[in-house]
């Protein structure tokens, strides 16, 4: 019975995702002629998606209504028709159960992998953190604490990056493009929800943030998805000023749910010099890294 309920919820989620992506496309975008008069729905009609995917309108309608599962070839065609990017296509396949997912470990709290801890210990001039499932912050070095926030002062159960972005007022001043960073955090969380739809802590986190923040609730409803990859962020740091940082994410082979995120700057750049100043300030202020593994 539980398996059936989970399957129905996931199929409903798949249908909502397809509807959202369909509503964002115009006939012109996909090469269809514009018809005269106002359109009753935003974006493409179901029959237009079905036509482009060479499937029946009834088939596609039942797919959007969560009443059936589609084969991988059909999903691939629909992904192409809806102009899904790689992250969105992967999310679609996860929802459809076409990729292998791992059952969440409900009771054991994640601990940073020893190999990643050693990397953190050796990174003294580069800010870095280790995130686990749901964006939980598992470990950090002193420079990351100086750059973002003193994670040791955050209760462990609240030590979660998406939660900090939406609930810590200082984050809105730190990120020059707070909205862009917050949207990415929501999209990454949405991607993980497809992999672990029954994770109780993830469900609790989404429920809490949806209640506390209208922007989170709206962006969660947009069904945007993103994987943890690379990017550039501009921070307005209260101690050293503007920092333009490249961030990259490395995944642990020993636990693919753990990701090491590092922030770097090109040697000789103003940001590179300001990171050195920040590192010196962190030493003077005795900013602490995460506690050692026991």
């Amino acid at each position: 019975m539980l398996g059936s309920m989970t399957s129905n919820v996931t199929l409903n989620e798949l249908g909502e995702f397809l509807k959202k992506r369909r509503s964002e496309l115009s006939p012109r975008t996909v090469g269809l002629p514009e018809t005269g008069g106002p359109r009753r729905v935003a974006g493409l009609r179901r029959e237009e998606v079905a036509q482009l995917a060479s499937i029946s309108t009834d088939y596609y309608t039942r797919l959007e209504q969560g009443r059936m599962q589609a084969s991988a070839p059909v999903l691939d065609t629909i992904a192409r028709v809806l102009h899904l990017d790689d992250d969105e296509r992967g999310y679609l396949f996860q929802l459809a159960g076409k990729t292998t997912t791992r059952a969440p470990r409900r009771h054991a709290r994640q601990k940073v992998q020893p190999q990643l801890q050693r990397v953190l210990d050796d990174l003294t001039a580069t800010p870095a953190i280790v995130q686990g499932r749901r964006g939980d912050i598992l470990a950090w070095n002193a420079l990351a604490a100086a750059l973002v926030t003193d994670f040791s002062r955050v209760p462990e159960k609240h030590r979660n990056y998406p939660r900090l972005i939406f609930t810590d007022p200082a984050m809105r001043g730190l990120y020059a493009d707070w909205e862009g960073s917050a949207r990415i955090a929501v999209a990454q969380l949405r991607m993980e929800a497809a992999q672990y739809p029954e994770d109780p802590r993830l469900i609790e986190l989404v429920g809490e943030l949806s209640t506390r923040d209208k922007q989170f609730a709206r962006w969660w409803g947009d069904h945007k998805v993103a994987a943890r990859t690379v990017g550039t962020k501009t921070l307005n740091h209260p101690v050293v000023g503007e920092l333009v940082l490249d961030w990259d994410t490395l995944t642990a082979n020993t636990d693919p749910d753990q990701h090491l995120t590092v922030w770097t700057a090109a040697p000789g750049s103003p940001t590179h010099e300001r990171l050195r100043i920040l590192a010196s300030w962190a030493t003077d202020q005795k900013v602490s890294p995460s506690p050692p593994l026991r």
Side-chain angles (χ1 to χ4, degrees):
M1 181 65 178
L2 178 59
S4 175
M5 290 173 60
T6 302
S7 176
N8 290 338
V9 169
T10 305
L11 287 178
N12 289 337
E13 178 70 20
L14 185 148
E16 290 298 318
F17 177 66
L18 290 177
K19 282 187 280 189
K20 276 289 185 180
R21 297 290 79 81
R22 173 168 63 86
S23 71
E24 296 173 350
L25 292 175
S26 68
R28 179 179 300 177
T29 303
V30 297
L32 292 175
E34 296 278 3
T35 57
R39 298 172 68 86
R40 291 187 299 173
V41 297
L44 296 177
R45 300 186 180 98
R46 284 173 174 167
E47 56 266 30
E48 290 171 332
V49 175
Q51 173 190 340
L52 292 167
S54 299
I55 57 178
S56 71
T57 301
D58 178 65
Y59 183 103
Y60 182 76
T61 298
R62 285 185 288 145
L63 190 61
E64 272 201 3
Q65 291 175 344
R67 294 193 289 128
M68 70 170 299
Q69 294 184 342
S71 66
V74 169
L75 291 172
D76 200 42
T77 301
I78 291 174
R80 175 178 50 79
V81 169
L82 295 179
H83 292 200
L84 303 187
D85 61 25
D86 289 344
D87 289 346
E88 291 169 331
R89 181 183 179 280
Y91 179 69
L92 177 67
F93 272 66
Q94 282 188 335
L95 289 175
K98 302 305 178 186
T99 56
T100 300
T101 60
R102 298 178 300 279
R105 287 165 285 181
R106 293 171 178 267
H107 304 294
R109 188 176 290 271
Q110 273 184 303
K111 293 184 178 180
V112 61
Q113 291 290 298
Q115 299 92 325
L116 294 184
Q117 183 65 62
R118 288 195 292 268
V119 173
L120 280 178
D121 293 341
D122 288 340
L123 289 174
T124 57
T126 301
I129 63 173
V130 176
Q131 294 183 76
R133 292 189 297 276
R134 303 166 294 272
D136 289 347
I137 298 163
L138 306 180
W140 61 91
N141 62 9
L143 193 49
L147 177 70
V148 182
T149 190
D150 187 349
F151 298 111
S152 66
R153 295 180 179 270
V154 180
E156 185 177 358
K157 65 179 181 179
H158 293 159
R159 210 174 284 158
N160 172 276
Y161 214 87
R163 191 181 192 281
L164 287 173
I165 285 179
F166 281 95
T167 63
D168 185 346
M171 288 290 191
R172 295 177 185 261
L174 179 65
Y175 284 102
D177 179 17
W178 176 87
E179 181 174 324
S181 297
R183 283 178 176 269
I184 289 175
V186 174
Q188 291 173 341
L189 204 58
R190 167 72 70 177
M191 176 74 93
E192 187 165 350
Q195 186 175 12
Y196 296 128
E198 296 181 70
D199 183 342
R201 291 188 62 208
L202 191 151
I203 294 169
E204 180 183 0
L205 175 65
V206 171
E208 178 196 358
L209 295 181
S210 296
T211 301
R212 294 183 59 163
D213 194 288
K214 293 181 179 179
Q215 287 174 299
F216 179 93
R218 184 170 70 251
W219 296 335
W220 183 261
D222 285 341
H223 293 257
K224 297 287 187 181
V225 292
R228 291 186 175 91
T229 50
V230 298
T232 301
K233 292 194 185 298
T234 300
L235 305 183
N236 295 317
H237 197 274
V239 174
V240 296
E242 183 181 81
L243 299 168
V244 181
L245 294 162
D246 297 319
W247 60 273
D248 203 343
T249 303
L250 309 174
T251 300
N253 286 330
T254 48
D255 183 354
D257 286 330
Q258 293 195 24
H259 311 277
L260 173 70
T261 299
V262 295
W263 292 273
T264 61
S269 67
T271 293
H272 189 260
E273 179 59 28
R274 288 167 189 161
L275 279 180
R276 293 178 59 187
I277 296 172
L278 184 61
S280 177
W281 176 86
T283 300
D284 292 340
Q285 297 296 314
K286 296 181 171 56
V287 178
S288 300
S290 53
L293 288 174
R294 295 184 183 87

